[in-house]
Amino acid sequence: IKVKLSSFPMIRAIAIRSCFTDSPVAEMTLDSFLAPPSFTVTGTFGGRKVVFDTNYSTADIYFSTTTSSLTTDDHKVKPGKSVVFSHFYGTLYARAYLNGRWSNVSRLILKIPDCAKPQASQDRDMLVIRSSTPDSYIIYTTDESVPSITNGTRTKGEARIPFLIGTKVRAIAVRSGFSDSEELRIRLADPDEDPDEG
């Protein structure tokens, strides 16, 4: 028999059978029930943000992307807290732990697509940088610093940079719910000279 536990503060049960003596009374309160973790998944720059939760705010939630045999040596997060996963396609395993008790294991299949690496072209006196990922943003720097969501100039769709010989451009493509792209590195050179690109 299945009982919706949230409807009862305490459950008492016995087992009976014809010609048998009734079993002792078994009791279970909601205080002894540790729910498996639940997940809330949203897109964020750099991948997927996963919020972990369970029915006890004081519990610890342990998670792994490689094994369902979770122990206290695995990654730990508190209920209501989030973790951002990037460049990951596979199953996320999690279970809650409280006062020596483990919950059942929860599973979540995550697929984190990558933004396509930006490509550069020249339009008259402008360098144009685009990614083939729809609705992505281009983040670029011209001071040789690493472009990221917190560093660089961000433009939606494409970046147009004045074509000045010797300028070193570093660029990535980003989109909410996607992993950041591989970085494009290019040095603007004379038309007769091959640019340095990494």
Side-chain angles (χ1 to χ4, degrees):
I1 185 170
K2 293 183 179 180
V3 179
K4 188 176 180 181
L5 292 175
S6 59
S7 301
F8 302 91
M10 176 179 286
I11 296 173
R12 293 185 176 89
I14 60 171
I16 61 173
R17 180 178 175 182
S18 178
C19 300
F20 281 70
T21 302
D22 294 350
S23 74
V25 176
E27 293 184 352
M28 186 181 79
T29 65
L30 290 182
D31 182 60
S32 65
F33 178 70
L34 183 58
S38 61
F39 309 103
T40 303
V41 184
T42 56
T44 185
F45 286 109
R48 292 281 198 271
K49 181 169 74 173
V50 178
V51 178
F52 295 78
D53 214 346
T54 188
N55 61 331
Y56 280 93
S57 61
T58 55
D60 292 318
I61 297 175
Y62 291 88
F63 67 91
S64 172
T65 57
T66 58
T67 180
S68 60
S69 301
L70 294 153
T71 71
T72 54
D73 292 327
D74 288 299
H75 301 288
K76 181 174 73 173
V77 65
K78 280 294 187 182
K81 298 299 183 181
S82 64
V83 177
V84 174
F85 293 85
S86 62
H87 300 284
F88 176 69
Y89 181 22
T91 304
L92 171 66
Y93 304 94
R95 63 176 177 165
Y97 179 80
L98 179 67
N99 297 332
R101 292 179 290 129
W102 286 98
S103 74
N104 290 329
V105 176
S106 295
R107 292 168 172 80
L108 174 68
I109 295 176
L110 277 176
K111 181 178 180 181
I112 314 298
D114 292 331
C115 274
K117 180 179 178 179
Q119 300 296 316
S121 61
Q122 187 175 353
D123 180 14
R124 298 189 180 124
D125 60 347
M126 302 295 286
L127 176 73
V128 181
I129 300 176
R130 297 187 183 94
S131 169
S132 61
T133 300
D135 300 319
S136 60
Y137 289 80
I138 300 297
I139 301 176
Y140 69 90
T141 64
T142 56
D143 60 1
E144 300 189 54
S145 65
V146 178
S148 69
I149 196 65
T150 58
N151 182 58
T153 302
R154 185 171 74 175
T155 59
K156 186 168 186 179
E158 67 178 24
R160 300 179 71 86
I161 305 167
F163 199 102
L164 302 175
I165 303 302
T167 301
K168 294 181 180 180
V169 179
R170 300 175 69 170
I172 59 172
V174 300
R175 178 181 168 181
S176 180
F178 285 63
S179 293
D180 297 348
S181 75
E182 184 181 347
E183 184 182 297
L184 169 73
R185 300 181 72 169
I186 190 167
R187 179 177 62 84
L188 303 187
D190 288 316
D192 298 331
E193 180 184 349
D194 289 332
D196 297 328
E197 184 176 347

